Amino acid sequence: MEVDRSDLFFEDSWSLFFGSYQDQDRPKAITLPDGLENLDECQRATFRVLEALGSFNRTTQGDFIQTKREEFFRKENIQQFIIAYFDGTVRPRSRIVLKSLFKISSVSTPLLLAIVLMGAICGGSGNVKSNAIEYTDLAELLIFENPSFQRLVYQKRSSDCDSLEMEDIELIQAAILMILIQISSPDAESRRRVRIHRYNTLVSVARSTGLTQVKNRWHVPSNPLDHELFLRNELSIRMMASIAMIDTHFIIFFNAPPVLSPFELDFDLPAEEAGVDISDSLAWEEWASNERKHQRPPPLNQLMQELLADNWTGIDDPRFQNLNIFTLFIIISSKGEHLF
């Protein structure tokens, strides 16, 4: 039986697994995402967030509520919460939003709101966390009931996610972040809702957009090296990996049946963090050219079949030489229904 547990918000072990934590040792000198140093841009972001929140519950919005929102989402807070998200709350192994691609002037409002709330909840003081929690249910509604997100839910199933627009990618990112926020909510109803309803909706999007079959394109020698396409392709892979790990979370902690079948986990594993962190295109091409000299592991479902086969070649197989912490977590979580 689930009970309210406000004292445990974002304190369980799974939060650490996903990287929702405050890094006390982060360096004082940080590189800000594009445009974040400009408080005028942060002010415009404030207007967008307030307008979006207000559009969903105008009937209950009084002067006091509006004033409280304006105080919480003021430009200085927007700036600090985003900094907290990128440099204090997200461990490198589980990043699904990349600082190199984030621009406060163009990021979609749903993703902006999700990042701000996660940064506030994971990196803020007790009062900041409590204030942020007040907006999580509304943010969840804004993201999952967004007409563009609903279009992704009901569109004709595709086997190719390369056609995903950045707007669609950011909606899926926002949905993943909101589920990660809400599965540790102090409110039992919110936790049940995202587990029973929202996560199933997210899986429907993964299926309809072809994320369950996403493959890396940059490692194929015949394909030209394209830094921007690599980053977008890597985002799709990391989103699908996170969706699969959330499935394992519900299996382990709630004894829920798996939503994704093993045969659906036909996606490639993420690339090394070093490649994701490179912002200079020429430096990235040098890294990618070197990576192409090494073999990559097969898609996750094929990898699991080989690991469990009697004729497995062992850890000396060159395809398994470059598995990092994140990919190992993905492999383990894919067998969660059998291990737990």
Side-chain angles (χ1 to χ4, degrees), residues 166-186:
M166 201 62 197
E167 177 187 3
D168 297 333
I169 290 175
E170 291 187 351
L171 272 173
I172 299 171
Q173 290 172 318
I176 293 172
L177 292 182
M178 282 312 305
I179 287 179
L180 295 182
I181 289 173
Q182 293 288 62
I183 59 177
S184 292
S185 170

Side-chain angles (χ1 to χ4, degrees), residues 53 110 113-114 117 135-144 178:
L53 291 175
L113 180 56
L117 289 177
Y135 305 107
T136 54
D137 285 354
L138 190 54
E140 176 196 325
L141 181 67
L142 185 151
I143 291 166
F144 282 91
M178 282 312 305

Side-chain angles (χ1 to χ4, degrees), residues 76-301:
E76 293 84 4
N77 282 354
I78 290 281
Q79 183 187 59
Q80 290 305 311
F81 296 158
I82 294 175
I83 291 174
Y85 174 82
F86 281 109
D87 292 283
T89 67
V90 180
R91 294 188 177 187
R93 66 169 178 263
S94 56
R95 285 179 295 176
I96 61 169
V97 182
L98 304 180
K99 186 190 293 188
S100 58
L101 290 179
F102 181 88
K103 295 182 179 180
I104 193 170
S105 60
S106 59
V107 64
S108 67
T109 302
L111 181 56
L112 172 65
L113 180 56
I115 288 175
V116 166
L117 289 177
M118 181 166 274
I121 291 169
C122 299
S125 64
N127 287 336
V128 169
K129 292 180 182 181
S130 298
N131 290 333
I133 292 170
E134 295 182 20
Y135 305 107
T136 54
D137 285 354
L138 190 54
E140 176 196 325
L141 181 67
L142 185 151
I143 291 166
F144 282 91
E145 299 303 323
N146 185 298
S148 295
F149 189 82
Q150 290 296 308
R151 170 181 53 80
L152 295 176
V153 175
Y154 297 109
Q155 73 176 19
K156 183 179 179 180
R157 182 171 294 197
S158 171
S159 60
D160 179 16
C161 67
D162 289 343
S163 60
L164 272 175
E165 299 292 339
M166 201 62 197
E167 177 187 3
D168 297 333
I169 290 175
E170 291 187 351
L171 272 173
I172 299 171
Q173 290 172 318
I176 293 172
L177 292 182
M178 282 312 305
I179 287 179
L180 295 182
I181 289 173
Q182 293 288 62
I183 59 177
S184 292
S185 170
D187 179 62
E189 182 179 339
S190 296
R191 297 197 302 273
R192 285 194 296 269
R193 184 176 59 249
V194 295
R195 187 180 81 250
I196 296 171
H197 178 46
R198 300 303 191 189
Y199 177 68
N200 283 272
T201 301
L202 180 60
V203 170
S204 295
V205 170
R207 289 167 175 158
S208 68
T209 57
L211 281 178
T212 56
Q213 305 173 59
V214 60
K215 305 295 190 298
N216 75 65
R217 308 298 184 190
W218 63 274
H219 200 267
V220 180
S222 59
N223 289 345
L225 291 174
D226 188 310
H227 191 199
E228 183 178 351
L229 288 179
F230 160 76
L231 291 174
R232 292 182 61 170
N233 184 217
E234 184 66 14
L235 281 179
S236 296
I237 291 173
R238 287 165 178 255
M239 289 191 302
M240 188 58 226
S242 295
I243 292 170
M245 288 195 294
I246 293 173
D247 203 23
T248 300
H249 170 82
F250 293 139
I251 294 170
I252 296 173
F253 291 101
F254 296 95
N255 198 29
V259 178
L260 289 161
S261 73
F263 299 103
E264 288 185 290
L265 305 179
D266 190 27
F267 61 93
D268 276 342
L269 294 172
E272 290 289 327
E273 293 297 327
V276 174
D277 288 331
I278 298 174
S279 57
D280 179 73
S281 294
L282 291 178
W284 174 81
E285 288 183 10
E286 181 180 354
W287 171 86
S289 297
N290 183 65
E291 285 294 307
R292 281 182 170 182
K293 299 175 184 177
H294 307 285
Q295 295 188 41
R296 291 276 300 164
L300 183 59
N301 56 0

